[in-house]
Amino acid sequence: KVQQTVIADMREFRSELPSLIHRRGIDIEPITLEVGDYILTPDICVERKSVSDLIGSLNNGRLYTQCISMSRYYKRPILLIEFDPNKSFSLTARSSIHQEISVSDITSKVTLLTLHFPRLRILWCPSPHATAELFEELKQNRPQPDAATAMAVMADRKST
């Protein structure tokens, strides 16, 4: 039986997800990734966002750039949005009411992402535990990611 491996961006180790994945018997390979937060297979790249990250990165355009890079290098780019089921779920940022972010605006931007990036899958998870389980399922019967290949992937730089 092949040992399952997930490549995780070093910055993800501030969260509990890498240890939850490891507890499922999957090796974690920490690397500084330019594209994505997790590489599950040679084809599957995951960008993980909290709801507040999602709103921020939609508004500053960073998510669009991240989706360009993911779609360029991976056949199955995934935007994973992790929400807290104990909090009322809303696509408005409670802390930034003064910015007048409307739900319809955020929803429109997410819709535009799916139109611009037809291969992009948007997955919602209620907790890091659910995410770890989902990652295990997505990896089943698929080849393992290669660290050298993942490190060689460079993000698209906006020309200045």
Side-chain angles (χ1 to χ4, degrees):
K1 187 170 164 19
V2 176
Q3 175 56 46
Q4 297 284 304
T5 305
V6 164
I7 295 170
D9 183 70
M10 295 292 255
R11 292 162 288 233
E12 284 293 306
F13 284 81
R14 288 178 284 205
S15 79
E16 62 178 326
L17 184 56
S19 68
L20 293 173
I21 294 167
H22 190 257
R23 268 188 243 158
R24 300 189 81 83
I26 299 170
D27 282 349
I28 294 283
E29 206 160 338
I31 288 176
T32 301
L33 292 172
E34 283 218 22
V35 176
D37 294 321
Y38 293 89
I39 311 299
L40 306 187
T41 73
D43 291 341
I44 302 176
C45 174
V46 179
E47 181 65 39
R48 178 177 174 238
K49 300 274 184 213
S50 66
V51 173
S52 58
D53 283 346
L54 174 72
I55 291 168
S57 62
L58 276 169
N59 286 331
N60 68 19
R62 185 160 183 266
L63 184 55
Y64 187 81
T65 311
Q66 289 171 320
C67 289
I68 290 173
S69 298
M70 282 200 301
S71 298
R72 178 167 293 169
Y73 295 105
Y74 295 95
K75 288 192 187 92
R76 299 182 63 198
I78 294 174
L79 171 59
L80 179 109
I81 302 156
E82 235 172 57
F83 61 94
D84 183 344
N86 300 318
K87 292 182 183 157
S88 64
F89 183 73
S90 165
L91 284 178
T92 51
R94 298 260 176 271
S95 60
S96 55
I97 300 297
H98 63 277
Q99 288 179 305
E100 293 296 310
I101 297 170
S102 73
V103 176
S104 64
D105 184 46
I106 297 297
T107 309
S108 300
K109 286 178 177 169
V110 171
T111 305
L112 281 172
L113 272 185
T114 62
L115 293 172
H116 277 276
F117 305 103
R119 285 184 288 122
L120 180 70
R121 294 292 169 260
I122 300 177
L123 303 178
W124 299 81
C125 271
S127 71
H129 292 269
T131 300
E133 193 176 332
L134 178 69
F135 281 7
E136 187 176 21
E137 287 171 24
L138 288 169
K139 287 184 62 53
Q140 289 202 330
N141 305 317
R142 294 205 167 92
Q144 302 313 304
D146 177 63
T149 307
M151 278 200 306
V153 169
M154 302 309 263
D156 291 284
R157 303 268 179 246
K158 279 206 167 128
S159 51
T160 50

